[in-house]
Tab-separated table of all heavy atoms in Angstrom:
chain	number	residue	atom	x	y	z
A	20	TYR	N	-24.401	-7.105	-102.518
A	20	TYR	CA	-25.398	-6.047	-102.657
A	20	TYR	C	-26.783	-6.506	-102.200
A	20	TYR	O	-27.730	-5.730	-102.237
A	20	TYR	CB	-25.484	-5.568	-104.107
A	20	TYR	CG	-24.357	-4.662	-104.528
A	20	TYR	CD1	-23.186	-5.183	-105.063
A	20	TYR	CD2	-24.451	-3.280	-104.392
A	20	TYR	CE1	-22.145	-4.355	-105.459
A	20	TYR	CE2	-23.420	-2.444	-104.786
A	20	TYR	CZ	-22.272	-2.989	-105.316
A	20	TYR	OH	-21.235	-2.156	-105.714
A	21	GLY	N	-26.891	-7.757	-101.823
A	21	GLY	CA	-28.164	-8.286	-101.361
A	21	GLY	C	-28.940	-9.054	-102.404
A	21	GLY	O	-30.037	-9.558	-102.117
A	22	SER	N	-28.412	-9.159	-103.615
A	22	SER	CA	-29.100	-9.881	-104.680
A	22	SER	C	-29.089	-11.386	-104.402
A	22	SER	O	-28.122	-11.926	-103.851
A	22	SER	CB	-28.440	-9.605	-106.033
A	22	SER	OG	-28.489	-8.236	-106.370
A	23	THR	N	-30.169	-12.046	-104.792
A	23	THR	CA	-30.222	-13.507	-104.766
A	23	THR	C	-29.685	-14.017	-106.094
A	23	THR	O	-30.240	-13.708	-107.154
A	23	THR	CB	-31.655	-14.005	-104.546
A	23	THR	OG1	-32.137	-13.504	-103.293
A	23	THR	CG2	-31.707	-15.525	-104.546
A	24	VAL	N	-28.596	-14.778	-106.043
A	24	VAL	CA	-27.905	-15.181	-107.263
A	24	VAL	C	-28.057	-16.684	-107.480
A	24	VAL	O	-27.680	-17.486	-106.620
A	24	VAL	CB	-26.407	-14.813	-107.204
A	24	VAL	CG1	-25.736	-15.143	-108.540
A	24	VAL	CG2	-26.227	-13.341	-106.861
A	25	ASP	N	-28.606	-17.063	-108.622
A	25	ASP	CA	-28.660	-18.454	-109.062
A	25	ASP	C	-27.596	-18.665	-110.138
A	25	ASP	O	-27.420	-17.809	-111.014
A	25	ASP	CB	-30.033	-18.805	-109.634
A	25	ASP	CG	-31.092	-18.957	-108.553
A	25	ASP	OD1	-30.734	-18.987	-107.355
A	25	ASP	OD2	-32.291	-19.047	-108.907
A	26	VAL	N	-26.918	-19.786	-110.065
A	26	VAL	CA	-25.890	-20.117	-111.046
A	26	VAL	C	-26.279	-21.411	-111.740
A	26	VAL	O	-26.607	-22.411	-111.090
A	26	VAL	CB	-24.505	-20.265	-110.388
A	26	VAL	CG1	-23.446	-20.552	-111.460
A	26	VAL	CG2	-24.135	-19.021	-109.590
A	27	HIS	N	-26.221	-21.376	-113.067
A	27	HIS	CA	-26.551	-22.553	-113.865
A	27	HIS	C	-25.391	-22.865	-114.797
A	27	HIS	O	-24.912	-21.994	-115.524
A	27	HIS	CB	-27.823	-22.310	-114.690
A	27	HIS	CG	-28.113	-23.389	-115.693
A	27	HIS	ND1	-28.375	-24.697	-115.339
A	27	HIS	CD2	-28.158	-23.354	-117.060
A	27	HIS	CE1	-28.585	-25.419	-116.427
A	27	HIS	NE2	-28.461	-24.630	-117.476
A	28	ASP	N	-24.925	-24.123	-114.763
A	28	ASP	CA	-23.861	-24.549	-115.671
A	28	ASP	C	-24.051	-26.022	-116.005
A	28	ASP	O	-23.849	-26.887	-115.151
A	28	ASP	CB	-22.473	-24.338	-115.051
A	28	ASP	CG	-21.364	-24.432	-116.085
A	28	ASP	OD1	-21.408	-25.363	-116.904
A	28	ASP	OD2	-20.454	-23.575	-116.090
A	29	PRO	N	-24.455	-26.332	-117.241
A	29	PRO	CA	-24.722	-27.722	-117.623
A	29	PRO	C	-23.491	-28.601	-117.692
A	29	PRO	O	-23.611	-29.830	-117.797
A	29	PRO	CB	-25.381	-27.576	-119.006
A	29	PRO	CG	-24.854	-26.274	-119.543
A	29	PRO	CD	-24.702	-25.381	-118.355
A	30	TRP	N	-22.291	-28.010	-117.638
A	30	TRP	CA	-21.062	-28.786	-117.728
A	30	TRP	C	-20.521	-29.216	-116.361
A	30	TRP	O	-19.626	-30.070	-116.300
A	30	TRP	CB	-19.981	-27.973	-118.448
A	30	TRP	CG	-20.208	-27.857	-119.914
A	30	TRP	CD1	-20.995	-26.945	-120.550
A	30	TRP	CD2	-19.648	-28.682	-120.936
A	30	TRP	NE1	-20.954	-27.151	-121.918
A	30	TRP	CE2	-20.136	-28.203	-122.172
A	30	TRP	CE3	-18.773	-29.774	-120.933
A	30	TRP	CZ2	-19.785	-28.790	-123.387
A	30	TRP	CZ3	-18.416	-30.358	-122.149
A	30	TRP	CH2	-18.920	-29.866	-123.353
A	31	VAL	N	-21.028	-28.655	-115.306
A	31	VAL	CA	-20.430	-28.842	-113.985
A	31	VAL	C	-21.265	-29.793	-113.131
A	31	VAL	O	-22.488	-29.701	-113.093
A	31	VAL	CB	-20.287	-27.488	-113.260
A	31	VAL	CG1	-19.739	-27.688	-111.844
A	31	VAL	CG2	-19.373	-26.566	-114.054
A	32	ARG	N	-20.561	-30.696	-112.412
A	32	ARG	CA	-21.246	-31.544	-111.443
A	32	ARG	C	-21.595	-30.713	-110.209
A	32	ARG	O	-20.736	-30.064	-109.623
A	32	ARG	CB	-20.356	-32.720	-111.046
A	32	ARG	CG	-20.124	-33.734	-112.152
A	32	ARG	CD	-19.230	-34.864	-111.693
A	32	ARG	NE	-17.891	-34.396	-111.344
A	32	ARG	CZ	-16.960	-35.155	-110.775
A	32	ARG	NH1	-17.216	-36.400	-110.465
A	32	ARG	NH2	-15.768	-34.640	-110.491
A	33	PRO	N	-22.857	-30.721	-109.798
A	33	PRO	CA	-23.278	-29.893	-108.663
A	33	PRO	C	-22.450	-30.117	-107.405
A	33	PRO	O	-22.128	-29.162	-106.687
A	33	PRO	CB	-24.740	-30.292	-108.459
A	33	PRO	CG	-25.193	-30.763	-109.811
A	33	PRO	CD	-23.995	-31.436	-110.405
A	34	GLU	N	-22.088	-31.357	-107.140
A	34	GLU	CA	-21.321	-31.646	-105.926
A	34	GLU	C	-19.932	-31.006	-105.977
A	34	GLU	O	-19.379	-30.627	-104.942
A	34	GLU	CB	-21.195	-33.151	-105.699
A	34	GLU	CG	-20.516	-33.935	-106.804
A	34	GLU	CD	-21.453	-34.432	-107.903
A	34	GLU	OE1	-22.564	-33.860	-108.045
A	34	GLU	OE2	-21.063	-35.367	-108.617
A	35	GLU	N	-19.361	-30.877	-107.173
A	35	GLU	CA	-18.048	-30.249	-107.295
A	35	GLU	C	-18.141	-28.745	-107.062
A	35	GLU	O	-17.288	-28.166	-106.388
A	35	GLU	CB	-17.452	-30.527	-108.675
A	35	GLU	CG	-16.017	-30.038	-108.816
A	35	GLU	CD	-15.375	-30.393	-110.139
A	35	GLU	OE1	-16.017	-31.115	-110.939
A	35	GLU	OE2	-14.233	-29.942	-110.394
A	36	ALA	N	-19.168	-28.104	-107.620
A	36	ALA	CA	-19.365	-26.666	-107.395
A	36	ALA	C	-19.580	-26.383	-105.917
A	36	ALA	O	-19.078	-25.384	-105.390
A	36	ALA	CB	-20.551	-26.172	-108.218
A	37	LYS	N	-20.319	-27.252	-105.251
A	37	LYS	CA	-20.572	-27.081	-103.824
A	37	LYS	C	-19.297	-27.258	-103.020
A	37	LYS	O	-18.997	-26.470	-102.113
A	37	LYS	CB	-21.632	-28.086	-103.364
A	37	LYS	CG	-22.016	-27.963	-101.893
A	37	LYS	CD	-22.745	-26.658	-101.610
A	37	LYS	CE	-23.260	-26.646	-100.166
A	37	LYS	NZ	-23.970	-25.369	-99.863
A	38	ALA	N	-18.530	-28.280	-103.349
A	38	ALA	CA	-17.303	-28.572	-102.607
A	38	ALA	C	-16.248	-27.501	-102.808
A	38	ALA	O	-15.547	-27.118	-101.862
A	38	ALA	CB	-16.759	-29.942	-103.015
A	39	GLU	N	-16.113	-27.003	-104.041
A	39	GLU	CA	-15.051	-26.054	-104.358
A	39	GLU	C	-15.389	-24.635	-103.926
A	39	GLU	O	-14.532	-23.909	-103.412
A	39	GLU	CB	-14.763	-26.066	-105.863
A	39	GLU	CG	-14.039	-27.300	-106.350
A	39	GLU	CD	-12.628	-27.421	-105.831
A	39	GLU	OE1	-11.944	-26.381	-105.716
A	39	GLU	OE2	-12.210	-28.538	-105.517
A	40	TYR	N	-16.637	-24.218	-104.139
A	40	TYR	CA	-16.980	-22.813	-103.949
A	40	TYR	C	-18.214	-22.564	-103.083
A	40	TYR	O	-18.612	-21.415	-102.891
A	40	TYR	CB	-17.169	-22.132	-105.310
A	40	TYR	CG	-15.929	-22.182	-106.172
A	40	TYR	CD1	-15.879	-23.010	-107.296
A	40	TYR	CD2	-14.812	-21.424	-105.860
A	40	TYR	CE1	-14.738	-23.062	-108.088
A	40	TYR	CE2	-13.667	-21.475	-106.641
A	40	TYR	CZ	-13.637	-22.293	-107.757
A	40	TYR	OH	-12.504	-22.348	-108.540
A	41	GLY	N	-18.827	-23.635	-102.588
A	41	GLY	CA	-20.021	-23.463	-101.771
A	41	GLY	C	-21.221	-22.973	-102.551
A	41	GLY	O	-22.153	-22.399	-101.978
A	42	ILE	N	-21.230	-23.208	-103.854
A	42	ILE	CA	-22.315	-22.742	-104.721
A	42	ILE	C	-23.252	-23.903	-105.039
A	42	ILE	O	-22.806	-24.958	-105.496
A	42	ILE	CB	-21.754	-22.128	-106.020
A	42	ILE	CG1	-21.003	-20.831	-105.702
A	42	ILE	CG2	-22.872	-21.870	-107.029
A	42	ILE	CD1	-20.323	-20.209	-106.909
A	43	ASP	N	-24.530	-23.686	-104.804
A	43	ASP	CA	-25.548	-24.673	-105.164
A	43	ASP	C	-26.079	-24.344	-106.558
A	43	ASP	O	-26.822	-23.374	-106.736
A	43	ASP	CB	-26.694	-24.670	-104.149
A	43	ASP	CG	-26.257	-25.166	-102.773
A	43	ASP	OD1	-25.730	-26.285	-102.688
A	43	ASP	OD2	-26.439	-24.416	-101.790
A	44	LEU	N	-25.697	-25.130	-107.537
A	44	LEU	CA	-26.142	-24.889	-108.902
A	44	LEU	C	-27.637	-25.167	-109.046
A	44	LEU	O	-28.184	-26.047	-108.377
A	44	LEU	CB	-25.376	-25.778	-109.876
A	44	LEU	CG	-23.861	-25.543	-110.013
A	44	LEU	CD1	-23.265	-26.543	-111.007
A	44	LEU	CD2	-23.572	-24.128	-110.463
A	45	VAL	N	-28.286	-24.417	-109.917
A	45	VAL	CA	-29.672	-24.716	-110.279
A	45	VAL	C	-29.645	-25.544	-111.557
A	45	VAL	O	-28.934	-25.215	-112.512
A	45	VAL	CB	-30.514	-23.440	-110.458
A	45	VAL	CG1	-30.602	-22.680	-109.141
A	45	VAL	CG2	-29.947	-22.536	-111.543
A	46	ASP	N	-30.396	-26.633	-111.549
A	46	ASP	CA	-30.391	-27.543	-112.688
A	46	ASP	C	-31.066	-26.929	-113.906
A	46	ASP	O	-30.562	-26.982	-115.017
A	46	ASP	CB	-31.058	-28.860	-112.300
A	46	ASP	CG	-30.986	-29.883	-113.419
A	46	ASP	OD1	-29.938	-29.978	-114.070
A	46	ASP	OD2	-31.994	-30.588	-113.643
A	47	GLY	N	-32.210	-26.317	-113.672
A	47	GLY	CA	-32.947	-25.661	-114.747
A	47	GLY	C	-33.500	-24.338	-114.260
A	47	GLY	O	-34.376	-24.308	-113.387
A	48	PRO	N	-33.001	-23.220	-114.768
A	48	PRO	CA	-33.485	-21.906	-114.321
A	48	PRO	C	-34.981	-21.741	-114.559
A	48	PRO	O	-35.523	-22.231	-115.559
A	48	PRO	CB	-32.679	-20.928	-115.179
A	48	PRO	CG	-31.479	-21.695	-115.645
A	48	PRO	CD	-31.934	-23.104	-115.773
A	49	GLU	N	-35.654	-21.046	-113.648
A	49	GLU	CA	-37.073	-20.777	-113.798
A	49	GLU	C	-37.336	-19.826	-114.958
A	49	GLU	O	-36.526	-18.937	-115.244
A	49	GLU	CB	-37.627	-20.162	-112.517
A	49	GLU	CG	-37.602	-21.060	-111.300
A	49	GLU	CD	-38.174	-20.350	-110.094
A	49	GLU	OE1	-39.247	-19.725	-110.244
A	49	GLU	OE2	-37.558	-20.391	-109.013
A	50	ALA	N	-38.436	-20.003	-115.600
A	50	ALA	CA	-38.838	-19.085	-116.660
A	50	ALA	C	-39.443	-17.827	-116.053
A	50	ALA	O	-40.124	-17.876	-115.024
A	50	ALA	CB	-39.843	-19.758	-117.595
A	51	ALA	N	-39.144	-16.693	-116.666
A	51	ALA	CA	-39.719	-15.400	-116.293
A	51	ALA	C	-39.530	-15.075	-114.814
A	51	ALA	O	-40.407	-14.484	-114.169
A	51	ALA	CB	-41.202	-15.365	-116.659
A	52	ALA	N	-38.362	-15.443	-114.253
A	52	ALA	CA	-38.152	-15.316	-112.812
A	52	ALA	C	-37.087	-14.301	-112.417
A	52	ALA	O	-37.042	-13.880	-111.268
A	52	ALA	CB	-37.781	-16.673	-112.222
A	53	TYR	N	-36.257	-13.869	-113.351
A	53	TYR	CA	-35.059	-13.127	-112.976
A	53	TYR	C	-35.116	-11.665	-113.409
A	53	TYR	O	-35.621	-11.329	-114.485
A	53	TYR	CB	-33.822	-13.800	-113.557
A	53	TYR	CG	-33.620	-15.200	-112.999
A	53	TYR	CD1	-34.072	-16.317	-113.694
A	53	TYR	CD2	-33.007	-15.385	-111.774
A	53	TYR	CE1	-33.916	-17.597	-113.181
A	53	TYR	CE2	-32.835	-16.667	-111.249
A	53	TYR	CZ	-33.300	-17.757	-111.949
A	53	TYR	OH	-33.142	-19.017	-111.430
A	54	ASP	N	-34.537	-10.829	-112.540
A	54	ASP	CA	-34.449	-9.398	-112.834
A	54	ASP	C	-33.250	-9.072	-113.724
A	54	ASP	O	-33.244	-8.062	-114.430
A	54	ASP	CB	-34.336	-8.606	-111.529
A	54	ASP	CG	-35.540	-8.797	-110.628
A	54	ASP	OD1	-36.601	-8.215	-110.939
A	54	ASP	OD2	-35.429	-9.530	-109.624
A	55	ALA	N	-32.243	-9.912	-113.663
A	55	ALA	CA	-31.050	-9.719	-114.492
A	55	ALA	C	-30.470	-11.080	-114.827
A	55	ALA	O	-30.501	-12.005	-114.012
A	55	ALA	CB	-30.015	-8.849	-113.780
A	56	ILE	N	-29.936	-11.184	-116.037
A	56	ILE	CA	-29.294	-12.412	-116.505
A	56	ILE	C	-27.904	-12.047	-116.995
A	56	ILE	O	-27.742	-11.143	-117.812
A	56	ILE	CB	-30.102	-13.070	-117.641
A	56	ILE	CG1	-31.523	-13.385	-117.170
A	56	ILE	CG2	-29.408	-14.331	-118.135
A	56	ILE	CD1	-32.469	-13.694	-118.306
A	57	LEU	N	-26.909	-12.755	-116.491
A	57	LEU	CA	-25.528	-12.474	-116.844
A	57	LEU	C	-24.928	-13.693	-117.538
A	57	LEU	O	-24.862	-14.768	-116.942
A	57	LEU	CB	-24.744	-12.114	-115.580
A	57	LEU	CG	-23.414	-11.405	-115.742
A	57	LEU	CD1	-23.106	-10.589	-114.503
A	57	LEU	CD2	-22.302	-12.432	-115.952
A	58	ILE	N	-24.526	-13.539	-118.785
A	58	ILE	CA	-23.883	-14.631	-119.528
A	58	ILE	C	-22.392	-14.569	-119.238
A	58	ILE	O	-21.673	-13.728	-119.759
A	58	ILE	CB	-24.143	-14.519	-121.042
A	58	ILE	CG1	-25.639	-14.372	-121.319
A	58	ILE	CG2	-23.588	-15.739	-121.764
A	58	ILE	CD1	-25.967	-14.018	-122.765
A	59	ALA	N	-21.925	-15.481	-118.359
A	59	ALA	CA	-20.545	-15.433	-117.889
A	59	ALA	C	-19.606	-16.347	-118.666
A	59	ALA	O	-18.402	-16.109	-118.705
A	59	ALA	CB	-20.484	-15.792	-116.395
A	60	VAL	N	-20.147	-17.411	-119.272
A	60	VAL	CA	-19.340	-18.388	-119.997
A	60	VAL	C	-20.044	-18.708	-121.312
A	60	VAL	O	-21.263	-18.874	-121.344
A	60	VAL	CB	-19.138	-19.683	-119.183
A	60	VAL	CG1	-18.177	-20.628	-119.906
A	60	VAL	CG2	-18.611	-19.382	-117.774
A	61	GLY	N	-19.278	-18.808	-122.376
A	61	GLY	CA	-19.859	-19.011	-123.699
A	61	GLY	C	-20.100	-20.453	-124.060
A	61	GLY	O	-19.742	-20.876	-125.171
């Protein structure tokens, strides 16, 4: 849809996320930066 999507997961090694799915994880999400927040994993 054209949205810029940041993914944050403290349990995952960034290199593994990149290798498996081409996703660059963000280490620490910016404060007051996002239009929507989706809690995908508990």
Side-chain angles (χ1 to χ4, degrees):
Y20 283 89
S22 299
T23 300
V24 185
D25 286 350
V26 182
H27 171 63
D28 195 315
W30 286 84
V31 177
R32 291 180 297 172
E34 59 271 21
E35 187 176 355
K37 182 67 173 180
E39 287 293 323
Y40 300 108
I42 293 176
D43 293 304
L44 295 179
V45 297
D46 184 41
E49 295 180 46
Y53 297 96
D54 299 285
I56 302 165
L57 197 154
I58 308 170
V60 186

